């Protein structure tokens, strides 16, 4: 119907209202669409911004990881450099220290007065303290650098305890203390040398901080592990020092042996924690101030028969009654001070010594057919780049027999130990303890 034909006002209002409503709905729909469009653009911008921020964060994180990796590598290289430096430095320092040990030992044998012997003993104690400090600092450096690789095998606790008893019984008797090891027929899985060092350091501390009573070493089976207990009746460890005792150069305030050993270096338990960590042997302790301390070391049970190498080495360390009178010794050493001191000491033992500084010198000494060495003692690093193990091999080849031989060196590397084992050559580290040297010589010549 044409609009001009509509005369009813109400109809016109209704039509108008309908048209207005339609226009409003249309405008609302358009407005909603525009609003959604704007929202979508805003969200897209937000997503883009957040994505860029995330990419930026990831790039910073990657760079941080690269920087951390580089810093870690630099730290490891620095640690290894420190270890190499300490190894080289200790080698250089141990040479004159070894000469001093030998000279003092020879000096002790010619002393006739009590005052002279007392002074010699004081010098020996000072030298031993220097030696312990050098070896301990080197051990800590190696452990921190992660270059110590445990040689895990079956270890007889009875043989290990017997060796430790032999070492520490004189110390305990000197202080009027009892030292007891409970008998044990057990084998554990560990590195024999590192485990012995752990127990050695704990025992040293136990005796050092005990004024009366004594120290008891025993074991307990705990499933697949054996717990080694070292109990003392010493001064105890206060609760506020439970962690501090494992720190370098930490010493208790009431060492019972300060007058005997200068109070110690405070490195024993620092070494214990590092070695125990390398072996995976938990070390704990319980303590009561004024009553004593018990250290616990948990070690896995062994799976085979015990090797008797410890018993053999312990026996070898004990001085034997064999004499060295008339023993012909070919001594190959390029350090003049060590050569002089070693020659003097061997001659005090009634040995007949011929000295050389290199392989060629050593072979020249063999030109005299009336003089054939009973034993060869050589340093590993000689003049002209010669190696003691190679020198011994050439001497043996020249003589046509496997003459007993000993490498004496300040080089603590495993490569030297392997070379000596491969050549059937005994090995001793500098600085030498003259009593052990004499016992080993007697053992090799027996």
């Amino acid at each position: 119907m044409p609009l001009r034909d509509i005369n009813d006002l109400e109809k016109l209002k209704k039509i108008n209202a309908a048209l207005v409503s339609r226009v409003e709905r249309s405008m609302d729909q358009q407005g909603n669409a525009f609003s959604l469009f704007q929202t979508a653009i805003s969200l897209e911008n937000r997503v883009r911004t957040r994505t860029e921020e995330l990419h930026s964060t990831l790039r910073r994180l990657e760079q941080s990881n690269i920087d951390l990796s580089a810093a870690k590598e630099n730290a490891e290289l620095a640690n290894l450099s420190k270890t190499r430096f300490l190894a080289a430095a200790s080698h250089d320092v141990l040479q004159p220290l070894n000469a001093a040990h030998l000279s003092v030992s020879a000096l002790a044998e010619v002393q006739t007065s009590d005052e002279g012997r007392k002074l010699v003993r004081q010098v020996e104690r000072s030298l031993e303290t220097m030696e312990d400090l050098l070896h301990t600092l080197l051990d800590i450096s190696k452990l921190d650098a992660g270059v110590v690789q445990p040689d895990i095998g079956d270890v007889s606790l009875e043989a290990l305890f017997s060796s430790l008893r032999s070492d520490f019984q004189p110390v305990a008797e000197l202080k009027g203390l009892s030292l007891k090891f409970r008998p044990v027929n057990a084998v554990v899985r560990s590195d024999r040398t590192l485990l012995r060092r752990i127990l050695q350091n704990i025992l040293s501390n136990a005796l050092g901080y005990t004024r009366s009573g004594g120290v008891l070493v025993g074991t307990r089976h705990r499933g697949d592990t054996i717990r080694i207990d070292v109990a003392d009746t010493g001064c105890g460890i206060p609760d506020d020092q439970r962690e501090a005792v494992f720190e370098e150069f930490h010493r208790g305030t009431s060492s019972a042996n300060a007058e005997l050993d200068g109070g110690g270096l405070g490195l024993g338990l620092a070494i214990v924690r590092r070695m125990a960590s390398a072996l995976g042997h938990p070390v704990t302790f319980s303590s009561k101030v004024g009553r004593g301390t018990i250290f616990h070391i948990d070690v896995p049970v062994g799976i085979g028969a015990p090797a008797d190498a410890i018993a053999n080495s312990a026996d070898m360390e004990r001085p034997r009654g064999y004499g060295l009178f008339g023993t012909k010794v070919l001594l190959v050493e390029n350090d003049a001070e060590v050569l002089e001191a070693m020659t003097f000491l061997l001659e005090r033992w009634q040995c007949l010594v011929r000295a050389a500084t290199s392989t060629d010198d050593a072979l020249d000494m063999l030109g005299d057919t009336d003089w054939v060495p009973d034993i060869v003692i050589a340093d590993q690093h000689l003049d002209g780049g010669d190696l003691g193990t190679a020198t011994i091999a050439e001497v043996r080849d020249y003589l046509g027999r496997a003459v007993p031989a000993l490498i004496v060196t300040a080089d603590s590397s495993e490569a030297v130990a392997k070379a000596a084992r491969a050549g059937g050559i005994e090995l001793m580290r500098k600085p030498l303890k003259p009593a052990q040297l004499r016992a080993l010589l007697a053992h090799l010549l027996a």
Side-chain angles (χ1 to χ4, degrees):
M1 176 185 297
L3 189 61
R4 61 177 177 273
D5 294 334
I6 298 175
N7 298 316
D8 190 340
L9 184 59
E10 290 302 322
K11 284 185 178 181
L12 286 174
K13 287 180 179 181
K14 288 180 180 180
I15 292 171
N16 183 62
L19 291 172
V20 170
S21 176
R22 185 178 297 177
V23 170
E24 287 178 348
R25 283 199 303 273
S26 177
M27 290 180 66
D28 287 341
Q29 290 174 354
Q30 291 177 1
N32 288 337
F34 183 70
S35 177
L36 288 172
F37 177 71
Q38 285 184 318
T39 301
I41 292 175
S42 176
L43 287 173
E44 184 180 358
N45 289 335
R46 280 184 175 182
V47 169
R48 185 181 295 110
T49 301
R50 294 293 183 269
T51 301
E52 290 175 353
E53 290 176 354
L54 181 59
H55 281 308
S56 177
T57 301
L58 287 174
R59 284 193 295 270
R60 287 197 300 270
L61 183 59
E62 288 174 357
Q63 186 59 46
S64 296
N65 287 336
I66 292 172
D67 293 341
L68 284 173
S69 178
K72 180 175 178 291
E73 185 177 349
N74 289 335
E76 290 173 349
L77 289 174
N79 222 352
L80 289 173
S81 296
K82 179 188 69 175
T83 300
R84 285 193 293 269
F85 169 77
L86 281 175
S90 65
H91 179 275
D92 292 341
V93 172
L94 287 174
Q95 286 285 82
L97 188 59
N98 181 57
H101 261 300
L102 297 172
S103 298
V104 168
S105 179
L107 181 63
E109 295 191 10
V110 299
Q111 290 301 312
T112 57
S113 67
D114 291 339
E115 184 66 22
R117 284 191 288 268
K118 181 180 178 182
L119 290 173
V120 167
R121 182 55 193 151
Q122 288 177 350
V123 174
E124 285 180 337
R125 280 201 299 267
S126 298
L127 291 174
E128 288 167 2
T129 300
M130 289 176 61
E131 178 188 349
D132 289 342
L133 179 58
L134 280 170
H135 283 304
T136 302
L137 289 174
L138 183 59
D139 287 342
I140 287 178
S141 178
K142 287 181 177 179
L143 289 165
D144 286 345
V147 299
V148 174
Q149 298 298 324
D151 181 14
I152 303 298
D154 289 325
V155 180
S156 166
L157 287 183
E158 183 60 39
L160 181 57
F161 287 180
S162 176
S163 174
L164 290 168
R165 185 189 297 111
S166 175
D167 287 350
F168 285 96
Q169 193 68 52
V171 179
E173 290 175 356
L174 181 64
K175 299 184 62 183
L177 302 173
S178 68
L179 175 61
K180 296 181 180 179
F181 290 79
R182 285 180 177 163
V184 57
N185 184 21
V187 177
V188 295
R189 294 287 293 173
S190 185
D191 180 295
R192 183 180 291 106
T193 302
L194 295 182
L195 180 59
R196 189 185 193 283
R197 186 69 180 278
I198 288 172
L199 292 172
Q200 178 181 315
N201 286 0
I202 292 175
L203 274 169
S204 180
N205 261 28
L207 291 170
Y209 288 91
T210 300
R211 295 183 181 277
S212 62
V215 178
L216 173 65
V217 182
T219 60
R220 288 180 289 167
H221 281 267
R222 299 168 60 90
D224 294 334
T225 65
I226 290 179
R227 168 165 284 188
I228 303 173
D229 294 326
V230 181
D232 65 61
T233 56
C235 58
I237 300 172
D239 288 341
D240 60 355
Q241 294 185 26
R242 292 186 67 88
E243 282 301 315
V245 295
F246 291 104
E247 297 175 359
E248 294 90 343
F249 301 106
H250 176 87
R251 288 169 46 199
T253 56
S254 54
S255 175
N257 65 341
E259 70 279 4
L260 293 177
D261 65 2
L265 301 171
L267 291 169
L269 292 182
I271 282 284
V272 165
R273 169 165 282 186
R274 285 169 167 83
M275 288 186 173
S277 176
L279 291 170
H281 299 344
V283 174
T284 55
F285 69 87
S286 55
S287 185
K288 290 186 178 179
V289 175
R291 297 185 61 182
T293 303
I294 306 176
F295 272 88
H296 316 286
I297 307 100
D298 293 328
V299 189
V301 174
I303 58 177
D308 56 1
I310 293 180
N312 291 340
S313 64
D315 290 340
M316 195 170 62
E317 287 176 3
R318 301 189 190 99
R320 298 174 181 264
Y322 306 122
L324 297 176
F325 180 83
T327 299
K328 297 174 183 177
V329 180
L330 176 58
L331 177 61
V332 191
E333 170 64 67
N334 65 326
D335 186 287
E337 292 183 354
V338 175
L339 184 65
E340 181 180 359
M342 180 76 89
T343 300
F344 184 77
L345 183 65
L346 290 170
E347 288 177 346
R348 289 291 304 172
W349 295 342
Q350 306 300 311
C351 294
L352 305 175
V353 183
R354 288 196 177 183
T357 60
S358 66
T359 302
D360 290 340
D361 285 347
L363 294 176
D364 288 343
M365 296 292 172
L366 304 178
D368 183 356
T369 56
D370 294 332
W371 195 90
V372 178
D374 298 307
I375 192 166
V376 181
I377 303 175
D379 189 6
Q380 176 64 357
H381 301 287
L382 303 168
D383 286 347
D386 290 350
L387 297 178
T389 47
T391 300
I392 290 170
E394 293 201 31
V395 168
R396 285 174 169 176
D397 185 60
Y398 182 91
L399 295 174
R401 65 185 182 90
V403 60
L406 169 65
I407 287 291
V408 179
T409 180
D411 187 340
S412 60
S413 69
E414 182 60 23
V416 174
K418 287 182 178 178
R421 286 195 297 267
I425 303 168
E426 295 293 332
L427 176 68
M428 292 189 77
R429 308 289 189 188
K430 293 179 180 179
L432 291 176
K433 290 181 171 57
Q436 290 183 2
L437 173 62
R438 185 169 183 172
L440 179 57
L441 292 179
H443 171 77
L444 292 174
L445 295 166

